[in-house]
């Protein structure tokens, strides 16, 4: 894990990578993607961080799961139910029910951006019984090659208020842990679907 602080805003920016250090070329790609799509400006009482995950599945398949703002339970293990209010479009709200085990039961979230060309999904939490105040996140999916096959680099970043009594480090570690769990589950689901698709392809004669 590498980090950077002292960005002039008083916030804390961290980069969390749960994988072994990638090759130099891969690091350059990651840095460029973060620079283009994940530039948050945390305030004095906020922290920000970025989590990366390399998935052995084509970007189209991974994105088909990520883009479903109306069905986060397809890969997020802590979501038990999701109801979208109104039409599925930018600006719509979803009511998410959280499974037991987390210090929350509901979350109200707004779809801020959905770009199917650049593979960008952005949300903002606007209500719920939790401590994630002024939480905004961006998740992007980028095609890459992994072990000679089609893969996807997924990056999720966020900015959030630091609750009273907590430090910026504590807050970042908590949110990072949730995101890592979600992205690990995304990888499992995506790679399983990719294997199923591959097995279903007819053998070449």
């Amino acid at each position: 894990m590498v980090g950077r602080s002292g960005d002039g805003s008083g916030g804390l920016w961290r980069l969390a990578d749960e994988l072994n250090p990638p090759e130099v070329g891969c690091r350059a790609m990651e840095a460029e993607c973060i620079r283009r799509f994940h530039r948050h400006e945390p305030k004095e009482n906020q922290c920000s961080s970025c989590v990366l995950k390399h998935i052995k599945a084509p970007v189209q398949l991974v994105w088909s799961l990520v883009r479903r703002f109306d069905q986060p339970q397809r890969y997020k293990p802590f979501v038990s139910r999701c109801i979208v209010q109104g039409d599925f479009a930018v600006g719509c709200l979803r009511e998410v029910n959280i499974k037991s085990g987390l210090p929350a039961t509901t979350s109200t979230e707004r779809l801020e951006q959905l770009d199917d060309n650049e593979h960008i999904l952005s949300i903002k939490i606007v209500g719920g019984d939790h401590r994630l105040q002024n939480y905004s996140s961006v998740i992007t999916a980028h095609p890459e090659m992994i072990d000679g096959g089609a893969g996807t680099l997924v990056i999720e970043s966020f900015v959030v208020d630091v609750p009273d009594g907590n430090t910026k480090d504590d807050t970042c570690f908590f949110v990072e842990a949730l995101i890592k769990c979600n992205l690990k589950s995304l990888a499992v689901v995506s790679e399983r679907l990719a294997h199923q698709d591959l097995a279903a392809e007819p053998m070449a004669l």
Side-chain angles (χ1 to χ4, degrees):
M1 178 183 294
V2 295
R4 177 173 65 82
S5 59
D7 56 5
S9 64
L12 173 68
W13 171 268
R14 299 155 54 87
L15 174 64
D17 190 338
E18 62 181 316
L19 305 172
N20 294 326
E23 298 296 331
V24 173
C26 187
R27 276 292 189 200
M29 173 189 173
E30 293 172 355
E32 176 61 17
C33 292
I34 292 170
R35 184 192 68 79
R36 289 184 60 195
F37 304 109
H38 298 272
R39 298 291 296 182
H40 297 284
E41 297 183 359
K43 299 177 182 178
E44 179 64 34
N45 66 326
Q46 294 183 317
C47 66
S48 185
S49 184
C50 187
V51 180
L52 294 79
K53 183 70 175 177
H54 297 271
I55 299 177
K56 294 181 179 180
V59 68
Q60 294 86 353
L61 190 157
V62 176
W63 179 243
S64 71
L65 295 170
V66 171
R67 74 177 305 277
R68 293 305 300 265
F69 177 78
D70 58 333
Q71 294 183 8
Q73 66 271 29
R74 292 184 69 185
Y75 74 89
K76 292 187 176 183
F78 298 116
V79 175
S80 61
R81 183 185 178 192
C82 175
I83 299 177
V84 172
Q85 302 175 1
D87 295 332
F88 179 20
V90 172
C92 70
L93 298 178
R94 70 183 181 189
E95 294 288 342
V96 176
N97 290 351
I98 310 298
K99 294 180 180 178
S100 61
L102 289 178
T105 57
T106 63
S107 179
T108 305
E109 303 166 0
R110 183 172 63 232
L111 179 60
E112 300 285 281
Q113 182 181 9
L114 179 63
D115 188 327
D116 285 317
N117 293 320
E118 294 283 357
H119 300 146
I120 306 169
L121 175 74
S122 176
I123 70 165
K124 182 177 180 62
I125 294 181
V126 297
D129 62 341
H130 48 72
R131 302 184 70 193
L132 299 179
Q133 300 300 313
N134 293 314
Y135 179 95
S136 295
S137 72
V138 178
I139 182 168
T140 58
H142 312 274
E144 64 175 350
M145 297 297 292
I146 302 178
D147 297 333
T152 304
L153 166 63
V154 177
I155 305 174
E156 185 163 355
S157 62
F158 68 89
V159 61
V160 67
D161 289 358
V162 177
D164 292 339
N166 288 75
T167 67
K168 292 179 179 180
D169 270 333
D170 289 340
T171 305
C172 272
F173 279 130
F174 172 72
V175 180
E176 287 169 6
L178 293 179
I179 292 176
K180 286 181 181 180
C181 186
N182 287 336
L183 295 187
K184 181 178 180 180
S185 178
L186 175 63
V188 170
V189 174
S190 298
E191 291 172 2
R192 182 179 69 242
L193 291 173
H195 286 311
Q196 290 175 355
D197 289 346
L198 186 62
E201 291 182 359
M203 295 182 62
L205 298 178

